[in-house]
Structure formats: structure tokens, C-alpha cells
């Protein structure tokens, strides 16, 4: 481009910019815009006493309308003592914790404006109208509108809030204060909340029948459930709502004994992260939960029906402590997914709390807890005892374990730990849970790495017991890093009994003594050779656990001729500490006389471990076919093992035929 045109363009741009700017290059002085001379209109509707009925037809369906005779409160003051300390889920190292929500005992009628007057100097409050926070957008056949709640930040002075669907009024606080905050409220109606210790059940029942407000909170010391009046009235009229006070007390005790205590929390710990949560554990009924029949969160959400109301208000149901649904969802809230509960355990570790609850109540018939346990746990035990391929993430085909029942199978090793492991000071295995929860909290251990979570769990189990539980993890196919195994191997002696054989349904087994030497499962190993393989004797026969099948080098139509030396490489897919190799020749013939063994961490650089004799002249055929253990002079960490057969076999051929090949560990 012509230089003259560039200069002219630049001058034109500068002149245009100069003509549009003030003194500082902007259209306002000294960093402040002048603004308009007239005030903008306030967009918030402050009209009191009138209703926007545009969504009455939807609100009538859900969450329901306030009765026609229910009087609005012209002016009332609620005094909220917001002195409860909020500790985040991150600090507790769990998924969800009680939020700083305070019930008000008030309800906003659909489409009507509620005025809330906040005292001067009070900043950090939010009002929520409506408790159904699940967004149903994209859900099939939604039974209510997608979003039917409102949240609005409150400021000193008058605040106006409304919700076209109406709803329970909650206050969310971002601060903790020892002094009550007085909020003046107008335009709301009184909800028939039940507050444990503040009223009698009989008086509350009368209020429920007399006050046609569609939703209420049932509030205990540690729990608060939001339930519909329609269901409560149905229960009340059939005599099923006479002991709501006992039910709330039992729920409070359940949270303390079944959850908090088992996570190593205490009511008066000096460090807040080791103390019981002080805010309410909330649950909300919804005609259409966004995920399944119920889902976790705080509040946790459950289907609006009689089953769940019975779970919340029937003391007999709560006392038994075997209600899978509620323990399942609340258990999700207290999973340690950011520290040690790895991805495989997403639908498993949440279910462990019900077993603790049953233990606290003396319930021992575990098959009653869920119908899947009776069938699945025996399948899991058979898998753990097997010597084939091991994968806790993807149970092998033929095990009977699949995507549907795998979460129940994964409960088994935890019950084995709880029932059979002993702590260093003879603590029960059930004490391992408070041990690991407390360690993760106080060490502030958080990781997104799945292997790091498994390693942490392994390390803490070994620290708790004072033994190396590597064999337990091997039996279940749970991979542990070489670094973690090395650390624990050098610190603790191996576990002493085969607890993976323990049946937690019958409370039997798991006491078989363990020797120091054991074979590592070879089911996932890969084998390669420098020669071709016979078509009817595949290489994977060496890991099928059957001495009558074998791998054989190619003897006919081979693309690679079989010549000595024959080299065979075994890839274990992960680093393992081993003391040697075991090898079993084909039963009847093709006997090799010696083998040279090498190890490598990268399949490139090899270390010779020794030359080992195999079949010898003068041995019987049976003696030649025995399993031979080729022991190293020391424990070696390796991923690859290479076997080199340098000579021809006893028949004068270069062929090699092996029935089984693997590695073993010994002290």
C-alpha cells in the first residue's frame, strides 16, 4: 500500500477520535459520568394487597394456592437469631453440608408482593420464596413449571419480593451473629410450621386443619423437612401424624450417631471442622425431582408421596434404621469424593451409612436392607477369591457383576474392613471410617486424581491397622501406585488373614492364615514373543489358570520361523514389586532346559536377574511339568519381565510350550 494513504488514514482516525472525546478522552469528567437529570423508575412492583394472577392456573397445580380465607399479615416482626456457624463442604471434605437457611414461619401467596424491612447496617441477607429449586428444563413430561422459586438480596430499608407461584419464605444469611435480627414483614401469611420443643403436636394439628397454607416446615434441632399440607392432612386424618415430635427427635439422633459420629465429628470440638454442623439438615418434597425418585443436595429432594412422608414422620420406620432411600441420598451428601472416595464408589460409599445405622440399632439381617445384596455379595466374594483378571472398575465378563449390581458388589470390601480389620490399638474396623474422615479434614487433603484417592485410602487403612493391606487391594482389583506400595511395604508387615473371603451376610470366613509368598493375578497381563504363535495354542493360555492348556510357538505355516533364542515378554500393565517368576511347562513334552530372566520398567532397558535351570535329564515327565518358581535375590519393582530360552528343548527343537506364566511376591 502507498505510504501516503497510510498517513492520511491515520490522521483521519486521530481527528475523528479527538472530535468525539472530552478532556480525558471520554464523555465524563474526573472519572465520573454525569448521568441523567431525571430518576429512572423503580422496576420492582411495590403494590401491596393486590395479586398478579397471571400464573394462578399454574400455581394452583403446583405448589398450590393459599386458601381464600387465609388472612394476610399487615405488619409483623420476626426476630431471627442467626448465630449458627456455617462450615463449607470443602472444609468438611464432603459433598454437601447444611446451608445457612433460616425458616421464618411465613408463606408468600402466589402473585402477591411481600415487604421485608431490614434494619440499618444489616448487609448479607437473601430472601428465598419457594423451596422447589430443581430446574425441570428439558425434563420429559414435567409435572410443574421449570422454575418456581425466587431469590433476592436484601438491603437495609424496605425490600419488595414476590413470586407468581407463591412459596415458603426462607432467609439465607452470609454472616453469623450472636444478636437477633428483627425483620418487619407485611403481605405474607402464617405457615403452620412445627417446631420441636416450641409447641405441642395437638395444637399444631389444629392449626394445620384450620390454616389452608399449602407448605410447611417440620423443624427439629438438626433437621428441617418441607412438606405439603395436603399430605400432612391425609396422614393426620388417618392417625399417622401423631408422633411427629418423636420422629424429629429420632432424625436428630440419626444425624448425630449414624453420620456425624461416624465421620469423627463431636458436638464440642475446638476446631470447627471437627464439630457437628450447627445448621439444619434440610429435605424438601417435590412433585417432580430433577433426578430420579430422590436426589442428594442440601436440601436433599424427595418425591412428594406417602412413602417419603412416612420416612420422615413415622418413628417406627426411623427406629429400624434400614430405610435405604433416605440413607442413600443423605449418604451422598457426606461422601468424601474430593479426597478418598474415588469414581468407582459414586453409588457405593453413600450406602455405607445405612450399615452403620443398623449396627447402632442392633440390626444384623443385612439382606433386608436392599434386595440386591442377597444375590450380589456372593458374586462379589467369588470374584475376590478368583485368580483371573481383576478390575474393580469393570468387573470381568462371566463374574455375574454388571453395571446395575456393581455398586452393591463394591460395598463388600468395606463391610469386610468394618467387620474384620483391627486398629493398632485393637479398635474395631468400624472405627476406620472416623479415622479416615478425620485425617482427610485435618490434613486438608483434596485431590482430583483418581489414583491419588485410591492411594490415600490404601495408606490410611494401613496406618489405621499397622499392616500392609496390599493383598486385599490385589484381591479386589483396586490398583495402588508403586510409590504407595513401596512406602507401606517398607513400613508395615503384610496382612495376616484372607479377609477378602469373609462373608458379611453370614458373618463367616476370612480367617485363613496368609503365608509371606503369593502369586499376583495375571489376568490382565499381555504377552508378546519374537516368534509366531501356533494357531491352536494361543499366547493367552498362559494366564487362564488351566495347566492343560498352553501356548506353543508356531510349527506349521509360520510367517516368522521358530528359531532359538525364543524371547517372551510379559507386560503387567503397572509397576509391581515381585520376588520372582513362576513358570509351568506344557504337561507332556516340549521341555526347555533353562531360561534367562530380565526385568524392565520401560520395555527398553533390561536388567538380568539370573539364569535358571528347567527340565533336567533324569527327571520324570511329571517332575518336568511342575510349577517352577524362579526366585530373585531381592525384591524388584518392575512392569515388564522377559524370558529368554537360549537353547533348543530336550527334543532338539527350538519350540517353547508353556502352560502358565506369572510373577510372585515374597518377603
Amino acid at each position: 500500500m502507498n505510504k501516503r494513504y497510510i498517513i492520511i488514514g491515520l490522521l483521519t482516525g486521530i481527528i475523528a477520535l479527538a472530535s468525539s472525546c472530552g478532556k480525558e478522552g471520554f464523555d465524563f469528567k474526573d472519572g465520573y459520568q454525569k448521568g441523567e437529570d431525571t430518576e429512572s423508575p423503580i422496576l420492582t412492583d411495590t403494590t401491596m394487597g393486590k395479586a398478579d394472577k397471571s400464573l394462578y392456573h399454574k400455581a394452583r397445580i403446583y405448589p398450590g394456592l393459599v386458601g381464600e380465607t387465609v388472612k394476610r399479615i399487615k405488619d409483623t416482626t420476626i426476630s431471627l437469631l442467626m448465630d449458627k456457624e456455617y462450615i463449607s463442604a470443602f472444609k468438611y471434605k464432603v459433598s454437601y453440608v447444611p446451608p445457612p437457611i433460616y425458616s421464618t414461619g411465613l408463606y408468600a401467596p402466589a402473585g402477591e408482593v411481600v415487604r421485608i424491612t431490614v434494619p440499618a447496617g444489616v448487609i448479607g441477607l437473601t430472601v428465598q420464596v419457594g423451596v422447589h429449586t430443581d430446574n425441570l428444563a428439558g425434563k420429559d413430561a414435567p409435572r410443574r413449571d421449570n422454575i418456581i422459586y425466587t431469590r433476592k438480596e436484601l438491603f437495609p430499608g424496605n425490600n419488595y419480593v414476590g413470586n407468581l407461584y407463591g412459596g415458603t419464605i426462607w432467609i439465607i444469611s452470609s454472616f453469623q451473629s450472636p444478636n437477633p435480627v428483627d425483620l418487619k414483614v407485611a403481605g405474607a401469611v402464617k405457615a403452620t410450621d412445627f417446631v420441636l420443643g416450641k409447641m405441642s403436636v395437638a395444637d399444631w394439628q389444629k392449626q394445620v386443619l384450620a390454616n389452608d397454607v399449602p407448605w410447611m416446615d417440620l423443624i427439629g434441632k438438626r433437621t428441617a423437612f418441607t412438606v405439603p399440607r395436603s399430605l400432612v392432612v391425609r396422614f393426620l386424618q388417618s392417625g399417622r401424624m401423631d408422633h411427629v415430635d418423636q420422629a424429629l427427635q429420632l432424625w436428630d439422633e440419626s444425624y448425630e450417631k449414624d453420620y456425624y459420629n461416624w465421620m469423627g465429628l463431636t458436638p464440642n470440638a475446638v476446631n470447627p471442622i471437627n464439630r457437628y454442623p450447627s445448621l439444619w439438615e434440610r429435605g424438601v418434597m417435590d412433585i417432580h425431582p430433577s433426578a430420579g425418585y430422590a436426589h442428594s443436595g442440601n436440601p436433599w429432594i424427595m418425591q412428594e408421596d406417602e412413602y417419603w412422608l412416612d420416612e420422615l414422620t413415622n418413628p417406627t420406620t426411623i427406629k429400624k434404621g434400614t430405610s435405604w432411600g433416605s440413607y442413600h441420598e443423605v449418604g451422598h451428601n457426606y461422601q468424601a469424593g474430593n479426597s478418598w472416595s474415588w469414581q468407582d464408589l459414586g453409588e457405593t460409599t453413600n450406602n455405607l451409612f445405612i450399615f452403620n445405622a443398623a449396627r447402632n440399632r442392633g440390626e444384623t439381617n443385612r439382606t433386608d436392607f436392599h434386595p440386591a445384596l442377597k444375590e450380589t455379595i456372593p458374586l462379589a466374594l467369588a470374584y475376590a477369591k478368583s485368580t483371573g483378571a481383576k478390575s474393580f472398575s469393570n468387573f470381568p465378563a462371566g463374574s455375574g457383576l454388571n453395571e446395575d449390581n456393581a455398586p452393591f458388589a463394591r460395598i463388600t470390601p468395606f463391610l469386610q474392613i468394618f467387620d474384620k480389620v483391627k486398629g493398632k490399638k485393637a479398635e474395631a474396623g468400624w472405627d476406620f471410617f472416623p479415622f479416615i474422615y478425620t485425617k482427610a479434614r485435618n490434613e486438608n487433603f483434596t485431590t482430583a486424581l483418581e489414583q491419588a484417592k485410591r492411594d490415600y485410602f490404601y495408606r490410611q487403612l494401613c496406618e489405621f491397622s499397622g499392616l500392609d493391606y496390599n493383598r486385599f487391594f490385589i484381591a479386589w482389583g483396586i490398583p495402588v501406585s508403586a510409590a504407595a506400595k513401596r512406602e507401606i511395604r517398607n513400613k508395615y508387615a503384610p496382612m495376616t488373614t484372607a479377609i477378602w473371603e469373609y462373608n458379611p451376610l453370614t458373618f463367616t470366613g476370612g480367617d485363613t492364615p496368609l503365608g509371606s509368598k503369593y502369586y499376583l493375578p495375571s489376568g490382565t497381563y499381555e504377552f508378546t514373543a519374537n516368534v509366531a504363535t501356533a494357531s491352536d495354542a494361543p499366547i493367552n493360555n498362559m494366564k487362564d489358570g488351566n495347566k492343560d492348556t498352553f501356548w506353543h510357538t508356531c510349527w506349521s505355516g509360520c510367517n516368522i520361523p521358530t528359531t532359538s533364542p525364543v524371547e517372551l515378554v510379559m507386560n503387567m500393565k503397572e509397576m509391581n514389586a515381585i520376588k520372582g517368576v513362576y513358570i509351568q511347562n506344557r504337561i507332556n513334552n516340549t521341555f526347555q532346559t533353562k531360561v534367562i530372566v530380565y526385568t524392565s520398567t520401560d520395555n527398553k532397558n533390561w536388567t538380568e536377574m539370573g539364569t535358571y535351570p528347567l527340565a533336567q535329564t533324569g527327571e520324570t515327565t511329571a517332575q518336568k511339568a511342575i510349577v517352577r518358581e524362579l526366585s530373585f535375590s531381592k525384591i524388584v519393582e518392575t512392569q515388564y519381565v522377559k524370558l529368554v530360552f537360549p537353547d533348543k528343548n530336550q527334543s532338539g527343537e527350538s519350540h517353547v510350550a508353556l502352560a502358565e506364566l506369572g510373577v510372585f511376591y515374597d518377603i
Side-chain angles (χ1 to χ4, degrees), residues 346-594:
E347 292 296 329
T348 296
T349 48
N350 61 309
N351 290 323
L352 299 179
F353 291 95
I354 192 171
F355 293 93
N356 184 50
R359 180 181 69 104
N360 289 337
R361 291 158 177 78
E363 292 283 345
T364 58
N365 191 358
R366 289 169 171 169
T367 55
D368 287 346
F369 300 175
H370 195 286
L373 296 172
K374 185 176 182 179
E375 177 184 349
T376 304
I377 285 183
L379 294 174
L381 291 172
Y383 158 80
K385 291 174 67 174
S386 69
T387 58
K390 299 281 188 173
S391 174
F392 196 68
S393 299
N394 298 289
F395 291 112
S399 66
L401 301 174
N402 51 51
E403 184 178 350
D404 293 331
N405 63 16
F408 300 98
R410 295 183 182 118
I411 290 173
T412 312
F414 287 92
L415 295 180
Q416 291 173 332
I417 290 170
F418 300 152
D419 286 350
K420 298 297 288 183
V421 171
K422 297 296 182 184
K424 290 178 181 177
K425 300 178 181 178
E427 304 99 321
W430 291 89
D431 292 328
F432 172 60
F433 236 43
F435 177 86
I436 192 171
Y437 267 101
T438 301
K439 289 274 286 185
R441 282 196 310 274
N442 289 275
E443 292 175 351
N444 194 26
F445 179 76
T446 302
T447 181
L449 302 176
E450 293 299 296
Q451 188 57 59
K453 295 175 186 178
R454 289 188 288 264
D455 286 354
Y456 190 81
F457 186 85
Y458 165 70
R459 284 187 172 104
Q460 298 314 316
L461 178 60
C462 299
E463 291 292 342
F464 172 77
S465 64
L467 293 172
D468 182 358
Y469 270 82
N470 183 41
R471 289 188 70 173
F472 183 71
F473 283 72
I474 291 173
W476 282 105
I478 302 171
V480 178
S481 72
K485 288 186 286 189
R486 184 188 316 116
E487 173 190 329
I488 298 301
R489 182 173 68 248
N490 292 331
K491 190 172 184 180
Y492 296 118
M495 61 186 296
T496 57
T497 56
I499 70 167
W500 59 85
E501 297 177 353
Y502 170 76
N503 188 329
L505 298 182
T506 62
F507 304 94
T508 58
D511 299 316
T512 303
L514 295 174
S516 62
K517 181 169 61 180
Y518 58 91
Y519 290 2
L520 277 65
S522 59
T524 59
Y525 294 177
E526 286 185 354
F527 301 104
T528 56
N530 68 335
V531 295
T533 293
S535 59
D536 58 350
I539 202 165
N540 283 338
N541 281 351
M542 291 188 293
K543 61 178 183 178
D544 64 1
N546 185 354
K547 65 180 181 179
D548 294 322
T549 63
F550 54 88
W551 167 69
H552 200 295
T553 52
C554 182
W555 64 75
S556 177
C558 310
N559 58 342
I560 302 176
T562 301
T563 58
S564 299
V566 172
E567 296 185 359
L568 184 63
V569 174
M570 175 170 50
N571 178 6
M572 295 184 286
K573 299 290 190 69
E574 63 176 349
M575 292 287 292
N576 279 311
I578 64 174
K579 188 62 185 296
V581 175
Y582 67 86
I583 183 172
Q584 184 172 22
N585 202 89
R586 177 186 179 185
I587 297 299
N588 296 320
N589 53 35
T590 325
F591 296 112
Q592 286 290 327
T593 60
K594 68 179 178 181

Side-chain angles (χ1 to χ4, degrees), residues 1-11:
M1 182 182 290
N2 191 305
K3 189 181 298 184
R4 180 167 62 97
Y5 292 123
I6 295 175
I7 294 172
I8 292 173
L10 286 171
L11 289 172

Side-chain angles (χ1 to χ4, degrees), residues 616-620 623-624 650:
Q616 300 298 304
T617 303
E619 290 182 329
T620 65
Q623 289 173 328
K624 294 176 182 179
Q650 286 188 331

Side-chain angles (χ1 to χ4, degrees), residues 134-136 139 288-296 301-303 329:
D134 278 6
N135 186 346
L136 301 187
K139 301 297 178 182
H288 192 152
S290 62
Y293 189 47
H295 66 78
S296 59
I301 309 300
M302 68 204 89
Q303 178 68 46
E329 301 305 343

